Amino acid sequence: MKRFAAAFLSVLFLAVPALTGATVAQAEEGARLRVELTQLAPRVVTSSTTTLTVSGTVTNTGDRKVNRPQVRLQVGDRVTTSRGVNDVLSGAVIKDSPLTDFSSVADALEPGQSAPLNITVNLTGSKAAQFSRPGVYPLLVNVNGTPEFGGPARLGAVSMLMPVLAGPGKSAGHSSAGAPSMTLLWPLTSNVPQVYAAPYGQPLVLRDDRLADEIGPDGRLNALVTAASTAVHGDSDLAKSMCFALDPDLLATVDSMSRGYRVHTENGNIDGKGVQTAKTWLTSLRSLLTGRCVVALPFADADLNTVARIRPGDPVLVAQAAAAAATIQQLAGVTPQTGVLWPDGTLNEAVLTALTQAGVKTVLTDAAKLAPVGGGGGVTVQGSAVRAQPTDSLISAAMTGVPSVPDSVTVAASTERAIAGQNGLGALAFRAGLGLPAGQERPKHLLVAPPRRWDAPATELTAYLQQVGEFLDAGVVTAESLPSLLSADPAGTGAVGDGGQNPDAAVDPAVVSTLTKLDDQAAGMASAMQLDPTKRVKPEDVVASVRLAELRGASTGWRGLSADAATANAQAEIGAISDRVSVRQPQQIIALASGNSPLPVYVVNDLPVGINARFSLNNNTGLRADEAKQVSFPAGGGRQYFLPVEALRAGRFSVDVSLSTPTGTPLGSSARFELTSTEYGAITIIATVAAGVALLLLASRRIYRRVKDARTGRDVVD
């Protein structure tokens, strides 16, 4: 069994009382240790295993001195149920016993101070007996110490799953009889969509240059490609079992980066640094994918239920999110599995209908969301023609990391990345039947789905893949390709349930609301555009960037992040189109020759399509215009327009002139006109004369009544 001395585990646990084996009932507030493991060898115990080594560092991350920090390994009973595996993953109380005695880490650790951690245990005698039977065991790295002004307590811990194929020194081990087949998905998508703006006919602008780092030598996406390339070229069974899940938006973005791009900053756009990096990564990816299985993710890994809510009742946007085959074929040089999609979350009825219309026949989905699961077999979703092929929920949960739970460990983000690979191996071995009681039913097939944005160094990913390859060699699982798996008839029909509400998967309602408004604005712009006979650009092509931005805004990568960040791309795309149709700011004061003189307005339409718009006047006290008139602006140029206006008073005043589509979508920014007028318009004069006549009539009437009343009074006296 190979050992992976470079396995990277970086873990931060806060001091809490719930973990079993703590030396006291209550840890002291403000005292905590971080355990960083740099070596775990071996990753799987076999008959030839003689030692178990754990190395790393312990750092005092609290605000109090910790005296006599010490560490030991503890091992729990072999897990025999899925609940037992989940207990380890969730940090619940489990029964364990010491594998080693406590050994000193340092005499004391001041706040911020670190010390090395090294444990090597010979797996012989009673210690070997603790791993005597094949199975999956909880393994705990437990660090205790005495905080200043406090008592002894557990201050740091790392818990993980340790697979055992055979007891150390024993010839009998795991039986390969009845081993399930396995298919491994390998997702490639960015942490969040990085496009800030990509208007029609203009350069790509990214929101920052983090994607260049992701695909760079030390980046997450490069690690995924590098580790997979190393593994599949040396192991034909592993290569057969793997299928690469690609995000078409990621491919399109990196391809655009390779031809030059800009990065948005507060001080303006600057040149991006990752042109050559993008070329190198694409070359490596294409080499990896040659002759391999590929499956599509939705565009930008969009949450399809959210996409359906942007434009209720219209399946077009959902279909666009699922239409990835052409992009992958063109940019990656490989044809993805026809009609197969791996979306995230539970799909509602409207989405399933839209996917069917778009030609999607199979979705890969969490087994926990299906009823019945059917032992790993696919089911036809009730009320649709879509086949749902389940991924294994337990393995996915293990590879996602350790969640925080009440009264248990509080886990840093780095912890989830750190132990995901090891726990993924343990969960895979368990689901394959390692250590299960005789007669307990195993699944016939395991579809393994790592986190969609798995973040681990190349060494950890390589260690994971090599160990999966050794599981294949040992007969723990057998290799099956995704096409072979999907060629089998569905096991039956089943409903898709929500599997319980996950607050972390909820989409911010503000995202949907904003994207819906922007979609309406894009529709208004498109309806106002006309095809220019010389440029031959369709209006749909001009607003296409907004539709793609809406899909990016619905990406699952934005979960838990701000709505403003999720919708920034769509906002920028609308703004980029709008800004290309504008009223030019005049450079001088405009004198109206008469009260009814037209206002000269210069309008620039830099779009490759013609557009209909209306003028709007704001802050226009002293001026009246016919704003209802619709004007057609031809593509690609500027033109002077004379807007009929009427001065309501003489003197100097200003007015803001802007444009909007007939449906009210603003175009460009407003321009302020400074005006002077020495005359009133005809309507104003007529209104003034009419007012004067009315005033004269009223005055005459009043005089008449007074004279009449006076005469009547004299007649009474006489």
Side-chain angles (χ1 to χ4, degrees):
M1 182 67 63
K2 294 186 178 70
R3 299 178 182 177
F4 309 114
F8 176 86
L9 299 169
S10 176
V11 187
L12 171 60
F13 281 69
L14 301 188
V16 292
L19 289 175
T20 182
T23 58
V24 296
Q26 179 65 50
E28 299 288 343
E29 184 178 358
R32 63 193 69 177
L33 299 175
R34 182 180 69 233
V35 182
E36 296 182 63
L37 301 186
T38 56
Q39 181 182 14
L40 172 66
R43 305 296 290 271
V44 175
V45 175
T46 67
S47 60
S48 61
T49 300
T50 58
T51 61
L52 177 62
T53 299
V54 176
S55 301
T57 59
V58 177
T59 303
N60 184 351
T61 58
D63 55 12
R64 296 160 62 183
K65 178 182 177 180
V66 175
N67 295 306
R68 296 181 297 280
Q70 49 189 346
V71 61
R72 76 177 178 185
L73 296 183
Q74 297 170 195
V75 60
D77 294 336
R78 186 179 60 156
V79 294
T80 57
T81 64
S82 297
R83 180 177 179 178
V85 174
N86 280 321
D87 285 345
V88 177
L89 299 178
S90 64
V93 174
I94 59 173
K95 180 182 179 181
D96 62 8
S97 58
L99 184 64
T100 69
D101 295 329
F102 276 108
S103 60
S104 176
V105 173
D107 291 335
L109 289 176
E110 298 287 349
Q113 188 176 5
S114 299
L117 176 157
N118 293 290
I119 304 175
T120 297
V121 53
N122 292 320
L123 295 182
T124 57
S126 61
K127 294 180 179 179
Q130 291 180 277
F131 296 115
S132 61
R133 301 172 61 190
V136 178
Y137 294 76
L139 182 66
L140 180 71
V141 182
N142 177 25
V143 182
N144 282 12
T146 304
E148 197 170 29
F149 313 117
R154 172 178 292 178
L155 302 180
V158 180
S159 180
M160 67 196 81
L161 297 171
M162 174 59 74
V164 175
L165 296 186
K170 293 192 174 184
S171 58
H174 168 71
S175 172
S176 60
S181 62
M182 182 207 69
T183 303
L184 173 62
L185 299 174
W186 201 253
L188 293 168
T189 187
S190 60
N191 285 327
V192 295
Q194 291 294 333
V195 175
Y196 177 77
Y200 181 87
Q202 295 185 359
L204 169 71
V205 180
L206 300 185
R207 63 179 65 243
D208 52 48
D209 224 352
R210 295 179 189 176
L211 185 53
D213 295 330
E214 280 197 81
I215 62 176
D218 299 322
R220 181 184 66 84
L221 288 170
N222 189 63
L224 288 164
V225 171
T226 301
S229 297
T230 301
V232 299
H233 287 112
D235 190 327
S236 59
D237 281 344
L238 181 62
K240 173 185 176 181
S241 71
M242 292 186 73
C243 194
F244 297 89
L246 303 183
D247 172 10
D249 182 45
L250 171 64
L251 291 178
T253 302
V254 176
D255 180 67
S256 295
M257 289 173 64
S258 70
R259 298 191 299 273
Y261 67 102
R262 306 277 284 169
V263 174
H264 177 73
T265 72
E266 294 181 355
N267 299 319
N269 297 337
I270 60 175
D271 289 336
K273 65 182 181 182
V275 174
Q276 187 56 49
T277 302
K279 294 178 181 178
T280 301
W281 188 80
L282 278 177
T283 299
S284 299
L285 178 65
R286 290 166 181 153
S287 176
L288 168 64
L289 298 180
T290 301
R292 311 289 179 198
C293 170
V294 170
V295 67
L297 296 171
F299 185 90
D301 193 25
D303 182 313
L304 297 184
N305 289 349
T306 299
V307 173
R309 291 165 57 195
I310 295 173
R311 199 187 296 174
D314 187 346
V316 173
L317 203 57
V318 173
Q320 186 173 3
T327 300
I328 293 174
Q329 170 68 45
Q330 178 184 357
L331 301 181
V334 61
T335 302
Q337 297 299 304
T338 303
V340 182
L341 191 69
W342 182 19
D344 194 18
T346 303
L347 305 182
N348 60 37
E349 183 178 351
V351 171
L352 290 170
T353 300
L355 291 179
T356 301
Q357 296 174 1
V360 174
K361 300 178 181 178
T362 301
V363 294
L364 312 180
T365 189
D366 186 348
K369 309 297 175 63
L370 293 176
V373 174
V379 299
T380 300
V381 180
Q382 292 176 357
S384 78
V386 175
R387 170 188 179 139
Q389 187 66 39
T391 59
D392 191 279
S393 303
L394 184 67
I395 300 175
S396 295
M399 299 182 78
T400 299
V402 182
S404 297
V405 294
D407 299 324
S408 185
V409 293
T410 301
V411 184
S414 60
T415 302
E416 298 187 7
R417 300 191 297 270
I419 63 176
Q422 182 65 24
N423 284 343
L425 292 172
L428 173 59
F430 172 81
R431 291 289 287 150
L434 192 65
L436 289 182
Q440 186 166 330
E441 185 178 357
R442 313 181 195 180
K444 296 179 180 179
H445 184 84
L446 298 173
L447 181 55
V448 179
R452 303 169 87 83
R453 294 166 181 83
W454 195 3
D455 189 0
T459 52
E460 178 62 25
L461 297 171
T462 299
Y464 173 82
L465 287 174
Q466 290 188 16
Q467 188 57 63
V468 171
E470 294 192 9
F471 280 166
L472 291 168
D473 293 341
V476 176
V477 289
T478 62
E480 183 170 10
S481 68
L482 184 65
S484 173
L485 172 64
L486 298 182
S487 66
D489 293 333
T493 60
V496 175
D498 62 13
Q501 295 299 317
N502 180 5
D504 294 333
V507 176
D508 189 338
V511 172
V512 178
S513 176
T514 300
L515 293 178
T516 298
K517 292 177 182 177
L518 295 173
D519 185 79
D520 291 340
Q521 291 183 18
M525 287 179 170
S527 66
M529 296 175 181
Q530 305 95 33
L531 180 72
D532 184 272
T534 59
K535 300 184 181 298
R536 309 298 298 172
V537 176
K538 298 178 181 178
E540 294 81 5
D541 294 337
V542 177
V543 299
S545 61
V546 182
R547 309 301 189 201
L548 296 180
E550 292 169 18
L551 299 180
R552 296 188 188 103
S555 172
T556 60
W558 293 116
R559 288 173 179 168
L561 302 178
S562 73
D564 289 342
T567 59
N569 179 205
Q571 299 271 18
E573 299 293 359
I574 285 287
I577 296 174
S578 171
D579 289 346
R580 296 178 72 175
V581 183
S582 60
V583 177
R584 181 166 295 178
Q585 182 78 31
Q587 301 299 314
Q588 58 188 13
I589 297 174
I590 297 175
L592 300 178
S594 67
N596 291 321
S597 292
L599 180 64
V601 179
Y602 192 82
V603 175
V604 176
N605 176 18
D606 194 35
L607 294 171
V609 293
I611 189 166
N612 295 327
R614 290 174 178 159
F615 288 101
S616 297
L617 273 64
N618 297 300
N619 300 321
N620 57 325
T621 303
L623 199 68
R624 176 186 297 164
D626 181 9
E627 300 182 18
K629 185 178 180 181
Q630 183 172 300
V631 182
S632 179
F633 302 95
R639 181 177 171 185
Q640 186 98 327
Y641 291 84
F642 293 94
L643 182 63
V645 296
E646 178 194 1
L648 302 178
R649 62 179 175 83
R652 180 171 176 172
F653 49 93
S654 62
V655 61
D656 295 329
V657 181
S658 59
L659 290 169
S660 63
T661 66
T663 58
T665 301
L667 296 172
S669 56
S670 62
R672 172 153 293 189
F673 286 66
E674 298 292 339
L675 308 175
T676 61
S677 175
T678 57
E679 298 188 33
Y680 294 109
I683 295 177
T684 303
I685 294 174
I686 293 173
T688 302
V689 171
V693 170
L695 181 60
L696 180 61
L697 290 174
L698 290 173
S700 299
R701 181 173 179 272
R702 187 170 183 179
I703 293 171
Y704 169 75
R705 291 179 63 88
R706 286 184 176 180
V707 171
K708 182 178 179 181
D709 291 344
R711 289 179 176 176
T712 302
R714 286 197 299 270
D715 292 341
V716 172
V717 172
D718 293 343

